[in-house]
Amino acid sequence: MKKSDVVLITILSCGALAVLFAIGAYLYLRRRRRKREDEEDGTSCAIRIDQSSTTDGGREKNMNRLNGILNLKTPLISTKTLGAQLETTSTSSPQAKSPAGSSAGAQASASTAPVPGERTPTAHNKQLQNVKGQDHPPHPSMAFLQNRSISLVDMYIDNSEPSENVGQIHFSLEYDFQNTTLILRIIQGKELPAKDLSGTSDPYVRVTLLPDKKHRLETKIKRRTLNPRWNETFYFEGFPIQKLQSRVLHLHVFDYDRFSRDDSIGEVFLPLCQVDLSEKPSFWKALKPPAKDKCGELLTSLCYHPSNSVLTLTLLKARNLKAKDINGKSDPYVKVWLQFGDKRIEKRKTAIFKCTLNPVFNDSFSFNVPWEKIRECSLDVQVMDFDNIGRNELIGRILLAGKNGSGATETKHWQDMITKPRQTIVQWHRLKPE
């Protein structure tokens, strides 16, 4: 064997060893990161219970474990029916209940009974008051007015009406304070749209507690119906009440397809900081359809001070922007025009954010607008993709105006700003294509 061949074999061997070492190091670091994530959420566990299963064997088969080791301190299913449970919650005063339906205050003395018409705060009511920090707190969706930092919860506070009717979903929430368990009951759907050729759908619900998208639960599929009844219960264990204040319940209704991708019917986002869990509330929520234009959404705030005639627009963040570059990303920035009628008066721009579809702008622009002209002006807000070579492309736009806004949400946002001077009004807007 020649000397050059030996050198070549040695070099190739060293290269192979280096590649194997790099792969091993990558896998080791990835495993450690996953382990660290699991340790952070290791106390949280969610279980699905089908109310239609009445036998103990059926209950065990219907449990879906999310993460960690299942360690239940209480029975999983109440022996009461779901309807009886809902009747009980609406007629009785709130008491700490285990998932088995046993009352924590069942042995209370008759001498401590509350006066009729009065409501005695329970232990978990006091716990909620401690979390909120006061007896009569402001609405949680307005918490950002006191603190300008926008959290994950604020991203999903959306009071706009659905752009089209895609049905409703009925669900209820309860919290077991003793075992730090959130109890979600998905009851039924109503007036869902037909997604199959037969004029029906095969709906099911996917459940997640954002920001955790890795772990999710699903109801059973209800075949050939537009008014499904699921009657299923989900237990999210190991969630202290303080932790739930920063979580968002996401219910996404899909139509099951055996031979293709499941179709999205509609979804609901519910920030749990908006819910008084001591009341065991029940909800009918209108489903919001998935975005068809796929331009993305923009979170903005408006504020007008009549005393000094200052109109302030704050561009907070955008999400799910349309990709304009070959790498599947965009380089977004926002361009704002102040307009009176069709005449453009003043232009402002944000900085450019490279290679992202979810930029955080946190940029404010102030304009001098007299009170007598506030109803006549408008703000043309354009989200652009920056290109080094060629013309910058429009990703999507909205027109904020009191009369002829680009949609009902934009017009209402402007009117709310006028009717509530000196207050910051925050609103998500769906970007429109040109």
Side-chain angles (χ1 to χ4, degrees):
M1 183 180 293
K2 296 182 180 180
K3 186 176 180 179
S4 59
D5 294 337
V6 174
V7 173
L8 181 61
I9 291 173
T10 304
I11 293 174
L12 291 175
S13 300
C14 292
L17 288 173
V19 170
L20 290 174
F21 178 78
I23 293 174
Y26 170 76
L27 293 176
Y28 172 74
L29 292 174
R30 185 179 177 185
R31 184 178 178 184
R32 281 194 61 184
R33 185 175 62 182
R34 283 187 177 179
K35 186 176 181 181
R36 192 182 304 114
E37 291 176 356
D38 291 340
E39 286 176 354
E40 290 175 358
D41 282 335
T43 58
S44 303
C45 186
I47 311 157
R48 184 189 78 182
I49 306 297
D50 186 359
Q51 292 289 76
S52 61
S53 301
T54 56
T55 62
D56 291 337
R59 294 169 191 166
E60 187 174 354
K61 291 178 182 177
N62 282 325
M63 290 191 302
N64 287 347
R65 192 183 74 175
L66 279 189
N67 63 328
I69 298 175
L70 216 55
N71 183 15
L72 299 177
K73 299 179 182 178
T74 55
L76 293 178
I77 301 183
S78 170
T79 54
K80 299 179 181 179
T81 62
L82 179 61
Q85 287 177 343
L86 290 177
E87 272 189 330
T88 303
T89 59
S90 62
T91 58
S92 63
S93 61
Q95 293 180 352
K97 273 191 176 182
S98 70
S102 61
S103 173
Q107 299 179 355
S109 171
S111 62
T112 60
V115 178
E118 272 190 6
R119 183 169 178 177
T120 305
T122 59
H124 53 264
N125 277 349
K126 292 178 181 178
Q127 190 173 353
L128 274 176
Q129 289 176 2
N130 291 336
V131 171
K132 295 174 182 178
Q134 47 188 341
D135 291 337
H136 301 285
H139 195 278
S141 64
M142 303 302 291
F144 48 77
L145 297 182
Q146 301 169 3
N147 185 356
R148 291 300 299 274
S149 61
I150 302 299
S151 66
L152 169 90
V153 172
D154 300 315
M155 290 181 61
Y156 294 101
I157 293 176
D158 186 359
N159 298 320
S160 62
E161 294 296 323
S163 57
E164 60 180 293
N165 181 23
V166 291
Q168 301 179 57
I169 187 169
H170 186 198
F171 62 97
S172 66
L173 289 169
E174 184 180 343
Y175 188 72
D176 182 353
F177 287 82
Q178 183 179 357
N179 298 293
T180 61
T181 298
L182 177 69
I183 305 169
L184 164 68
R185 294 182 180 92
I186 298 182
I187 304 168
Q188 62 179 325
K190 185 173 70 173
E191 299 175 356
L192 301 183
K195 292 289 185 177
D196 299 335
L197 294 176
S198 60
T200 61
S201 293
D202 301 320
Y204 68 93
V205 185
R206 182 177 295 166
V207 182
T208 50
L209 272 183
L210 299 173
D212 183 8
K213 296 182 180 180
K214 182 170 60 175
H215 300 131
R216 61 193 184 193
L217 291 172
E218 293 177 355
T219 66
K220 289 186 175 179
I221 300 166
K222 297 299 177 181
R223 302 284 183 176
R224 295 180 292 279
T225 179
L226 301 180
N227 298 283
R229 286 185 172 271
W230 290 289
N231 286 337
E232 295 189 38
T233 303
F234 300 84
Y235 290 83
F236 295 89
E237 296 185 330
F239 279 92
I241 192 68
Q242 292 86 353
K243 186 176 181 180
L244 284 177
Q245 296 296 307
S246 62
R247 295 299 175 112
V248 176
L249 177 65
H250 182 208
L251 304 180
H252 199 161
V253 182
F254 286 90
D255 168 56
Y256 172 76
D257 284 320
R258 178 174 294 179
F259 301 109
S260 62
R261 186 176 181 181
D262 296 348
D263 297 319
S264 173
I265 293 177
E267 59 188 349
V268 168
F269 294 96
L270 179 63
L272 294 179
C273 68
Q274 293 183 323
V275 181
D276 186 355
L277 293 172
S278 66
E279 298 290 341
K280 302 177 185 177
S282 178
F283 301 92
W284 272 104
K285 289 284 187 180
L287 296 170
K288 295 198 174 183
K292 294 180 179 179
D293 49 34
K294 298 181 181 179
C295 291
E297 297 175 277
L298 183 66
L299 182 61
T300 67
S301 73
L302 288 172
C303 182
Y304 184 71
H305 287 264
S307 58
N308 54 6
S309 301
V310 173
L311 168 64
T312 302
L313 167 69
T314 303
L315 303 168
L316 297 166
K317 59 176 69 177
R319 65 186 179 194
N320 303 324
L321 294 181
K322 187 174 183 179
K324 289 288 187 177
D325 298 337
I326 196 171
N327 61 359
K329 301 287 184 179
S330 291
D331 301 324
Y333 69 97
V334 183
K335 182 168 59 176
V336 181
W337 278 100
L338 173 66
Q339 301 181 157
F340 285 93
D342 294 331
K343 186 178 180 181
R344 291 180 169 178
I345 304 298
E346 192 174 350
K347 183 176 80 168
R348 303 287 181 84
K349 288 195 299 184
T350 68
I352 299 167
F353 291 79
K354 294 287 187 178
C355 296
T356 179
L357 301 180
N358 300 281
V360 179
F361 300 108
N362 280 336
D363 210 346
S364 295
F365 303 123
S366 296
F367 304 92
N368 290 318
V369 180
W371 170 252
E372 58 272 13
K373 293 187 177 181
I374 190 65
R375 299 178 187 275
E376 303 172 11
C377 70
S378 61
L379 291 173
D380 184 11
V381 183
Q382 304 175 19
V383 181
M384 308 291 295
D385 171 56
F386 175 79
D387 284 324
N388 285 315
I389 303 174
R391 189 177 180 181
N392 297 341
E393 294 183 79
L394 176 71
I395 296 176
R397 71 194 305 172
I398 57 172
L399 182 66
L400 298 170
K403 296 180 180 178
N404 300 314
S406 54
T409 305
E410 289 77 28
T411 301
K412 185 177 183 301
H413 194 183
W414 193 272
Q415 291 172 349
D416 288 345
M417 173 197 70
I418 295 175
T419 57
K420 300 173 183 178
R422 295 175 296 278
Q423 291 188 30
T424 302
I425 312 298
V426 180
Q427 180 69 56
W428 276 104
H429 297 282
R430 291 188 186 275
L431 297 171
K432 278 79 174 174
E434 192 163 14

